[in-house]
Every structure is written in C-alpha cells, then in structure tokens.
Coordinates of all heavy atoms in Angstrom, one line a residue:
M1 N 15.8 1.5 -16.5 CA 16.0 2.3 -15.3 C 17.2 1.8 -14.6 O 17.4 0.6 -14.4 CB 14.7 2.1 -14.5 CG 14.7 3.0 -13.3 SD 13.1 3.0 -12.3 CE 12.0 3.8 -13.4
T2 N 18.0 2.7 -14.1 CA 19.3 2.3 -13.5 C 19.0 2.3 -11.9 O 18.0 2.7 -11.4 CB 20.4 3.4 -13.8 OG1 20.0 4.6 -13.1 CG2 20.5 3.6 -15.3
G3 N 20.0 1.8 -11.2 CA 20.0 1.8 -9.8 C 19.9 3.1 -9.2 O 19.3 3.4 -8.2
R4 N 20.6 4.1 -9.9 CA 20.6 5.5 -9.5 C 19.1 6.0 -9.6 O 18.7 6.7 -8.7 CB 21.5 6.3 -10.3 CG 21.6 7.8 -9.9 CD 22.6 8.5 -10.8 NE 22.6 10.0 -10.4 CZ 21.8 10.9 -10.9 NH1 20.9 10.6 -11.8 NH2 21.9 12.1 -10.5
D5 N 18.5 5.8 -10.7 CA 17.1 6.2 -10.9 C 16.2 5.7 -9.8 O 15.4 6.4 -9.2 CB 16.5 5.8 -12.2 CG 17.2 6.4 -13.4 OD1 17.8 7.5 -13.3 OD2 17.3 5.7 -14.4
I6 N 16.3 4.4 -9.4 CA 15.5 3.8 -8.4 C 15.8 4.5 -7.0 O 14.9 4.7 -6.3 CB 15.7 2.3 -8.4 CG1 15.2 1.6 -9.7 CG2 15.1 1.7 -7.1 CD1 15.6 0.2 -9.9
R7 N 17.0 4.7 -6.8 CA 17.4 5.4 -5.5 C 16.8 6.8 -5.4 O 16.3 7.1 -4.4 CB 18.9 5.5 -5.3 CG 19.4 5.9 -4.0 CD 20.9 6.0 -3.8 NE 21.4 7.2 -4.4 CZ 22.1 7.3 -5.6 NH1 22.4 6.2 -6.2 NH2 22.4 8.5 -6.1
L8 N 16.9 7.5 -6.5 CA 16.3 8.9 -6.5 C 14.8 8.9 -6.3 O 14.2 9.6 -5.6 CB 16.6 9.6 -7.8 CG 18.1 10.0 -8.0 CD1 18.3 10.5 -9.4 CD2 18.5 11.0 -6.9
I9 N 14.1 7.9 -6.9 CA 12.6 7.8 -6.8 C 12.4 7.4 -5.3 O 11.4 7.9 -4.7 CB 12.1 6.7 -7.7 CG1 12.2 7.2 -9.2 CG2 10.6 6.3 -7.4 CD1 11.9 6.2 -10.2
S10 N 13.1 6.5 -4.8 CA 12.9 6.1 -3.4 C 13.1 7.2 -2.4 O 12.3 7.4 -1.5 CB 13.8 4.9 -3.0 OG 13.7 4.5 -1.7
E11 N 14.1 8.1 -2.7 CA 14.4 9.2 -1.8 C 13.2 10.2 -1.9 O 12.8 10.8 -0.9 CB 15.7 9.9 -2.2 CG 16.9 9.1 -1.8 CD 18.2 9.6 -2.3 OE1 18.2 10.7 -2.9 OE2 19.2 8.9 -2.2
A12 N 12.8 10.5 -3.1 CA 11.6 11.4 -3.3 C 10.4 10.9 -2.6 O 9.7 11.7 -2.0 CB 11.4 11.6 -4.8
A13 N 10.1 9.6 -2.7 CA 8.9 9.0 -2.1 C 9.0 9.2 -0.6 O 8.1 9.5 0.1 CB 8.7 7.5 -2.5
G14 N 10.2 9.0 0.0 CA 10.5 9.1 1.4 C 10.2 10.5 1.8 O 9.7 10.8 3.0
A15 N 10.6 11.5 1.0 CA 10.4 12.9 1.4 C 8.9 13.3 1.4 O 8.5 14.2 2.1 CB 11.2 13.8 0.4
L16 N 8.1 12.6 0.5 CA 6.7 13.0 0.4 C 5.9 12.3 1.5 O 4.8 12.9 1.8 CB 6.2 12.5 -1.0 CG 6.6 13.3 -2.1 CD1 6.1 12.6 -3.4 CD2 6.0 14.7 -2.0
R17 N 6.4 11.2 2.1 CA 5.5 10.5 3.1 C 5.0 11.4 4.2 O 3.8 11.4 4.5 CB 6.3 9.3 3.6 CG 6.0 8.1 2.7 CD 6.6 6.8 3.4 NE 6.8 5.9 2.3 CZ 8.0 5.6 1.8 NH1 9.1 6.2 2.2 NH2 8.1 4.8 0.8
P18 N 5.9 12.2 4.8 CA 5.4 13.0 5.9 C 4.4 14.1 5.5 O 3.4 14.4 6.2 CB 6.6 13.8 6.5 CG 7.8 13.0 5.9 CD 7.3 12.3 4.7
L19 N 4.5 14.6 4.3 CA 3.5 15.5 3.7 C 2.2 14.9 3.4 O 1.1 15.4 3.7 CB 4.1 16.1 2.4 CG 5.4 17.0 2.5 CD1 5.8 17.4 1.1 CD2 5.1 18.2 3.4
L20 N 2.3 13.6 3.0 CA 1.0 12.9 2.7 C 0.3 12.5 3.9 O -0.9 12.6 4.0 CB 1.3 11.7 1.9 CG 1.8 11.9 0.4 CD1 2.1 10.6 -0.3 CD2 0.7 12.7 -0.4
K21 N 1.1 12.1 5.0 CA 0.4 11.8 6.2 C -0.4 13.0 6.8 O -1.3 12.8 7.5 CB 1.4 11.3 7.2 CG 1.9 9.9 7.0 CD 2.8 9.4 8.1 CE 3.0 7.9 7.9 NZ 3.6 7.3 9.1
A22 N 0.1 14.2 6.6 CA -0.5 15.3 7.2 C -1.6 15.9 6.3 O -2.3 16.9 6.7 CB 0.6 16.4 7.4
S23 N -1.8 15.3 5.1 CA -2.8 15.8 4.2 C -4.2 15.1 4.3 O -4.2 14.0 4.5 CB -2.3 15.6 2.8 OG -1.1 16.3 2.6
R24 N -5.2 15.9 4.1 CA -6.6 15.4 4.0 C -7.1 15.5 2.6 O -8.1 14.8 2.2 CB -7.4 16.1 5.0 CG -7.1 15.8 6.4 CD -8.0 16.3 7.5 NE -9.1 17.2 7.0 CZ -9.6 18.2 7.7 NH1 -9.2 18.5 8.8 NH2 -10.6 18.8 7.1
T25 N -6.6 16.5 1.8 CA -7.1 16.7 0.5 C -6.0 16.9 -0.5 O -4.9 17.3 0.0 CB -8.1 17.9 0.3 OG1 -7.4 19.1 0.7 CG2 -9.3 17.7 1.2
A26 N -6.2 16.6 -1.8 CA -5.1 16.9 -2.8 C -5.8 17.1 -4.1 O -6.8 16.6 -4.4 CB -4.2 15.7 -2.9
A27 N -5.1 18.0 -4.9 CA -5.5 18.3 -6.3 C -4.4 17.8 -7.2 O -3.3 18.1 -6.9 CB -5.9 19.7 -6.5
L28 N -4.7 17.1 -8.2 CA -3.7 16.6 -9.1 C -4.0 17.3 -10.5 O -5.1 17.5 -10.9 CB -3.8 15.1 -9.3 CG -3.7 14.3 -8.0 CD1 -4.0 12.9 -8.2 CD2 -2.3 14.5 -7.4
C29 N -2.9 17.5 -11.2 CA -3.0 18.1 -12.6 C -1.8 17.6 -13.4 O -0.8 17.1 -12.8 CB -3.1 19.6 -12.6 SG -1.6 20.4 -11.9
T30 N -1.9 17.7 -14.7 CA -0.7 17.4 -15.6 C -0.5 18.6 -16.4 O -1.1 19.6 -16.3 CB -1.0 16.0 -16.3 OG1 0.2 15.7 -17.0 CG2 -2.2 16.2 -17.3
H31 N 0.4 18.4 -17.4 CA 0.8 19.5 -18.3 C -0.2 19.7 -19.3 O -1.1 19.0 -19.6 CB 2.2 19.1 -18.9 CG 2.2 17.8 -19.5 ND1 1.6 17.5 -20.8 CD2 2.7 16.6 -19.1 CE1 1.8 16.3 -21.1 NE2 2.5 15.7 -20.1
V32 N -0.1 20.9 -20.0 CA -1.0 21.2 -21.1 C -0.8 20.2 -22.2 O 0.3 19.7 -22.4 CB -0.6 22.7 -21.6 CG1 -1.4 23.1 -22.8 CG2 -0.8 23.7 -20.5
D33 N -1.9 20.0 -22.9 CA -1.9 19.0 -24.0 C -1.5 17.6 -23.5 O -0.5 17.1 -23.9 CB -1.0 19.5 -25.1 CG -1.6 19.2 -26.5 OD1 -2.7 18.8 -26.6 OD2 -0.9 19.5 -27.4
P34 N -2.2 17.1 -22.5 CA -1.8 15.9 -21.8 C -1.6 14.7 -22.7 O -2.4 14.5 -23.6 CB -2.9 15.7 -20.7 CG -4.1 16.3 -21.3 CD -3.5 17.5 -22.1
D35 N -0.7 13.9 -22.4 CA -0.4 12.6 -23.1 C -0.7 11.5 -22.2 O -1.1 11.6 -21.0 CB 1.0 12.5 -23.6 CG 2.1 12.7 -22.5 OD1 1.7 12.6 -21.3 OD2 3.2 12.9 -22.8
G36 N -0.5 10.3 -22.6 CA -0.8 9.1 -21.9 C -0.1 9.0 -20.6 O -0.5 8.5 -19.6
D37 N 1.2 9.4 -20.6 CA 2.0 9.3 -19.4 C 1.5 10.2 -18.3 O 1.4 9.8 -17.2 CB 3.5 9.7 -19.7 CG 4.2 8.7 -20.5 OD1 3.8 7.5 -20.6 OD2 5.3 9.0 -21.1
G38 N 1.1 11.4 -18.7 CA 0.6 12.4 -17.7 C -0.7 12.0 -17.1 O -0.9 12.0 -15.9
I39 N -1.6 11.5 -18.0 CA -2.9 11.0 -17.6 C -2.8 9.8 -16.7 O -3.4 9.6 -15.7 CB -3.8 10.8 -18.8 CG1 -4.1 12.2 -19.4 CG2 -5.1 10.2 -18.4 CD1 -4.7 12.1 -20.8
G40 N -1.9 8.8 -17.2 CA -1.8 7.6 -16.4 C -1.2 7.9 -15.0 O -1.6 7.3 -14.1
A41 N -0.2 8.8 -14.9 CA 0.3 9.2 -13.7 C -0.7 9.8 -12.7 O -0.8 9.5 -11.6 CB 1.5 10.2 -13.8
E42 N -1.6 10.6 -13.3 CA -2.7 11.2 -12.5 C -3.6 10.1 -11.9 O -3.9 10.1 -10.7 CB -3.5 12.2 -13.3 CG -2.9 13.5 -13.6 CD -3.8 14.3 -14.5 OE1 -4.5 13.8 -15.5 OE2 -3.9 15.5 -14.3
I43 N -4.0 9.2 -12.7 CA -4.9 8.2 -12.3 C -4.2 7.3 -11.3 O -4.9 6.9 -10.3 CB -5.4 7.4 -13.6 CG1 -6.3 8.3 -14.4 CG2 -6.1 6.1 -13.2 CD1 -6.6 7.7 -15.8
C44 N -3.0 6.9 -11.5 CA -2.3 6.1 -10.5 C -2.2 6.8 -9.2 O -2.5 6.2 -8.2 CB -0.9 5.8 -11.1 SG 0.1 4.7 -10.1
L45 N -1.7 8.0 -9.2 CA -1.6 8.8 -8.0 C -2.9 9.0 -7.3 O -3.0 9.0 -6.1 CB -0.8 10.1 -8.2 CG -0.4 10.9 -7.0 CD1 0.4 10.1 -6.0 CD2 0.4 12.1 -7.4
L46 N -3.9 9.3 -8.1 CA -5.3 9.4 -7.5 C -5.7 8.2 -6.7 O -6.2 8.3 -5.6 CB -6.3 9.7 -8.7 CG -7.7 9.9 -8.3 CD1 -7.9 11.2 -7.5 CD2 -8.6 9.8 -9.5
G47 N -5.5 7.0 -7.3 CA -5.8 5.8 -6.6 C -5.0 5.6 -5.3 O -5.5 5.2 -4.2
Y48 N -3.7 5.9 -5.4 CA -2.9 5.8 -4.2 C -3.3 6.7 -3.1 O -3.4 6.3 -1.9 CB -1.4 6.1 -4.7 CG -0.4 6.0 -3.5 CD1 -0.1 4.9 -2.9 CD2 0.2 7.2 -3.1 CE1 0.8 4.8 -1.9 CE2 1.1 7.2 -2.0 CZ 1.4 6.0 -1.4 OH 2.3 6.0 -0.4
L49 N -3.6 7.9 -3.4 CA -4.0 8.9 -2.4 C -5.3 8.5 -1.8 O -5.5 8.6 -0.6 CB -4.0 10.3 -3.0 CG -2.7 11.0 -3.4 CD1 -3.0 12.2 -4.2 CD2 -1.8 11.1 -2.3
R50 N -6.2 8.1 -2.6 CA -7.5 7.6 -2.1 C -7.4 6.4 -1.1 O -8.0 6.3 -0.1 CB -8.5 7.4 -3.2 CG -9.0 8.6 -3.8 CD -9.9 8.4 -5.0 NE -10.5 9.6 -5.5 CZ -11.3 9.7 -6.5 NH1 -11.7 8.6 -7.2 NH2 -11.8 10.8 -6.9
D51 N -6.4 5.5 -1.5 CA -6.2 4.4 -0.6 C -5.6 4.8 0.7 O -5.8 4.1 1.7 CB -5.2 3.4 -1.3 CG -5.8 2.6 -2.4 OD1 -7.0 2.6 -2.5 OD2 -5.0 1.9 -3.2
L52 N -4.9 6.0 0.7 CA -4.4 6.5 2.0 C -5.5 7.3 2.8 O -5.2 7.8 3.9 CB -3.2 7.5 1.7 CG -1.9 6.8 1.2 CD1 -0.9 7.9 0.9 CD2 -1.4 5.8 2.1
G53 N -6.6 7.4 2.2 CA -7.7 8.1 2.9 C -7.7 9.6 2.6 O -8.4 10.3 3.2
I54 N -7.0 10.0 1.6 CA -6.9 11.4 1.2 C -7.9 11.7 0.1 O -8.0 11.0 -0.9 CB -5.5 11.7 0.7 CG1 -4.5 11.6 1.8 CG2 -5.4 13.2 0.1 CD1 -3.0 11.6 1.4
E55 N -8.7 12.7 0.3 CA -9.7 13.1 -0.7 C -9.0 13.8 -1.8 O -8.4 14.8 -1.6 CB -10.7 14.1 -0.1 CG -11.8 14.5 -1.1 CD -12.8 15.5 -0.5 OE1 -12.9 15.5 0.7 OE2 -13.3 16.2 -1.3
A56 N -8.9 13.2 -3.0 CA -8.1 13.7 -4.1 C -9.0 13.8 -5.3 O -10.0 13.1 -5.5 CB -7.0 12.7 -4.4
R57 N -8.6 14.8 -6.1 CA -9.4 15.1 -7.4 C -8.4 15.5 -8.5 O -7.3 16.1 -8.2 CB -10.3 16.3 -7.3 CG -11.5 15.9 -6.4 CD -12.6 16.9 -6.7 NE -13.9 16.3 -6.2 CZ -14.4 16.5 -5.0 NH1 -13.8 17.3 -4.2 NH2 -15.6 16.0 -4.6
V58 N -8.7 15.1 -9.7 CA -7.9 15.5 -10.9 C -8.5 16.7 -11.5 O -9.7 16.8 -11.7 CB -7.9 14.4 -11.9 CG1 -7.2 14.9 -13.2 CG2 -7.2 13.2 -11.3
I59 N -7.7 17.8 -11.6 CA -8.2 19.0 -12.2 C -7.3 19.4 -13.3 O -6.1 19.8 -13.1 CB -8.2 20.1 -11.1 CG1 -9.1 19.7 -9.9 CG2 -8.7 21.5 -11.8 CD1 -9.0 20.7 -8.8
N60 N -7.8 19.2 -14.6 CA -7.0 19.6 -15.8 C -7.7 20.8 -16.5 O -8.9 21.0 -16.4 CB -6.9 18.4 -16.7 CG -6.0 17.3 -16.2 OD1 -5.2 17.5 -15.3 ND2 -6.2 16.1 -16.6
T61 N -6.9 21.5 -17.2 CA -7.4 22.6 -17.9 C -8.1 22.3 -19.2 O -8.8 23.1 -19.8 CB -6.3 23.7 -18.2 OG1 -5.3 23.0 -19.0 CG2 -5.7 24.2 -16.9
E62 N -7.9 21.0 -19.6 CA -8.5 20.6 -20.9 C -9.2 19.3 -20.7 O -8.8 18.5 -19.8 CB -7.3 20.3 -21.9 CG -6.5 21.6 -22.2 CD -5.3 21.3 -23.0 OE1 -5.2 20.2 -23.6 OE2 -4.4 22.2 -23.0
P63 N -10.2 18.9 -21.5 CA -10.9 17.7 -21.3 C -10.0 16.5 -21.7 O -9.0 16.7 -22.4 CB -12.1 17.8 -22.3 CG -11.8 18.9 -23.2 CD -10.8 19.8 -22.5
L64 N -10.3 15.3 -21.2 CA -9.5 14.1 -21.5 C -9.6 13.9 -23.1 O -10.7 13.8 -23.6 CB -10.0 13.0 -20.8 CG -9.3 11.6 -20.9 CD1 -7.9 11.7 -20.4 CD2 -10.1 10.5 -20.2
P65 N -8.4 13.8 -23.7 CA -8.5 13.5 -25.2 C -9.2 12.1 -25.4 O -8.9 11.2 -24.7 CB -7.0 13.5 -25.6 CG -6.3 14.4 -24.6 CD -7.1 14.1 -23.3
A66 N -9.9 12.1 -26.5 CA -10.7 10.8 -26.8 C -9.7 9.6 -26.9 O -10.1 8.5 -26.5 CB -11.4 11.0 -28.1
R67 N -8.5 9.8 -27.4 CA -7.6 8.7 -27.6 C -7.1 8.1 -26.3 O -6.5 7.0 -26.2 CB -6.5 9.0 -28.5 CG -5.5 10.0 -28.0 CD -4.4 10.4 -29.0 NE -3.6 11.4 -28.5 CZ -3.8 12.7 -28.7 NH1 -4.8 13.1 -29.4 NH2 -2.9 13.6 -28.3
Y68 N -7.3 8.8 -25.2 CA -6.8 8.3 -23.8 C -8.0 7.9 -22.9 O -7.7 7.6 -21.8 CB -6.0 9.4 -23.2 CG -4.7 9.7 -23.9 CD1 -4.4 11.0 -24.3 CD2 -3.8 8.6 -24.3 CE1 -3.3 11.3 -25.0 CE2 -2.7 9.0 -25.0 CZ -2.4 10.3 -25.4 OH -1.3 10.5 -26.1
R69 N -9.2 8.0 -23.4 CA -10.4 7.6 -22.5 C -10.3 6.2 -22.0 O -10.8 5.9 -20.9 CB -11.7 7.9 -23.3 CG -11.9 9.3 -23.4 CD -13.3 9.7 -23.8 NE -13.4 11.1 -24.0 CZ -13.8 11.7 -25.1 NH1 -14.4 10.9 -26.0 NH2 -13.9 13.0 -25.2
F70 N -9.6 5.3 -22.7 CA -9.5 3.9 -22.2 C -8.7 3.9 -20.9 O -8.8 2.9 -20.1 CB -8.9 3.0 -23.3 CG -7.4 3.3 -23.4 CD1 -6.5 2.4 -22.8 CD2 -6.9 4.2 -24.3 CE1 -5.1 2.6 -22.9 CE2 -5.6 4.5 -24.4 CZ -4.6 3.6 -23.7
L71 N -7.9 4.8 -20.7 CA -7.1 4.9 -19.4 C -8.0 5.2 -18.2 O -7.6 4.9 -17.1 CB -6.0 5.9 -19.5 CG -4.9 5.7 -20.5 CD1 -4.0 6.9 -20.6 CD2 -4.1 4.4 -20.1
D72 N -9.1 5.8 -18.4 CA -10.0 6.3 -17.4 C -11.4 5.8 -17.5 O -12.3 6.6 -17.7 CB -9.9 7.8 -17.4 CG -10.6 8.5 -16.2 OD1 -10.7 7.9 -15.2 OD2 -11.0 9.6 -16.4
P73 N -11.6 4.5 -17.4 CA -13.0 4.0 -17.6 C -14.0 4.5 -16.5 O -15.2 4.6 -16.7 CB -12.9 2.5 -17.5 CG -11.6 2.2 -16.8 CD -10.7 3.5 -17.2
G74 N -13.4 4.9 -15.3 CA -14.3 5.4 -14.2 C -14.6 6.8 -14.3 O -15.4 7.3 -13.5
G75 N -14.0 7.5 -15.2 CA -14.3 9.0 -15.4 C -13.7 9.9 -14.3 O -14.3 10.9 -14.0
A76 N -12.6 9.5 -13.8 CA -11.9 10.3 -12.7 C -11.3 11.6 -13.3 O -11.3 12.6 -12.5 CB -10.9 9.5 -12.0
V77 N -10.9 11.6 -14.5 CA -10.2 12.8 -15.1 C -11.3 13.7 -15.7 O -12.1 13.2 -16.4 CB -9.2 12.4 -16.1 CG1 -8.6 13.6 -16.8 CG2 -8.1 11.5 -15.5

C-alpha cells in the first residue's frame, strides 16, 4: 500500500463520518459469489458499526460458502 492509497482511504473515511453519525441502522452486502475479502470486509464493518451504536445487519443474496465459515463463527452473515 502506498502513501497515496492511505491518503485516499483516510479521505473516504472522513467523508463517511458525518453520514455514520446521523445513521441508526445499516445494511451491508457484498458482491455475487462472495469471496473471503468481501465476507471479511462485511464482518469487520459490521463490528465497527455496532461499536458506534448503529444497528447493522449483513444481507447477502447467497448463503455463506462453507469454505469461509471460519471467518464468521458468530453467524452474523
């Protein structure tokens, strides 16, 4: 990851903060045929939003693939 990447991520996070502060609920999803990156991102963001006091849920169109169940021992997905 380059310094430019980190700057862009920081800018995006800064733009999201006001939206998150005004939110009470959120729905998260990933792409069709989810992979470990998509599922991991959902689980990470789910925890972050819940820590902020936002009621969040993961809603995917497909069940969690068996090979990725280790990422979600709590059954959030």
Side-chain angles (χ1 to χ4, degrees):
M1 190 174 288
T2 68
R4 181 177 180 272
D5 295 331
I6 293 169
R7 189 181 78 250
L8 290 173
I9 291 168
S10 178
E11 288 173 7
L16 286 174
R17 273 191 203 100
L19 297 173
L20 292 176
K21 282 187 172 195
S23 299
R24 293 186 355 208
T25 61
L28 305 172
C29 60
T30 189
H31 50 79
V32 173
D33 221 7
D35 56 14
D37 287 343
I39 293 163
E42 286 178 317
I43 293 168
C44 181
L45 188 52
L46 179 69
Y48 177 70
L49 292 172
R50 287 181 174 173
D51 285 348
L52 293 177
I54 297 170
E55 182 184 336
R57 290 200 160 94
V58 174
I59 302 170
N60 290 339
T61 59
E62 301 168 14
L64 182 65
R67 67 181 176 271
Y68 298 123
R69 289 196 183 125
F70 74 95
L71 294 172
D72 186 28
V77 177

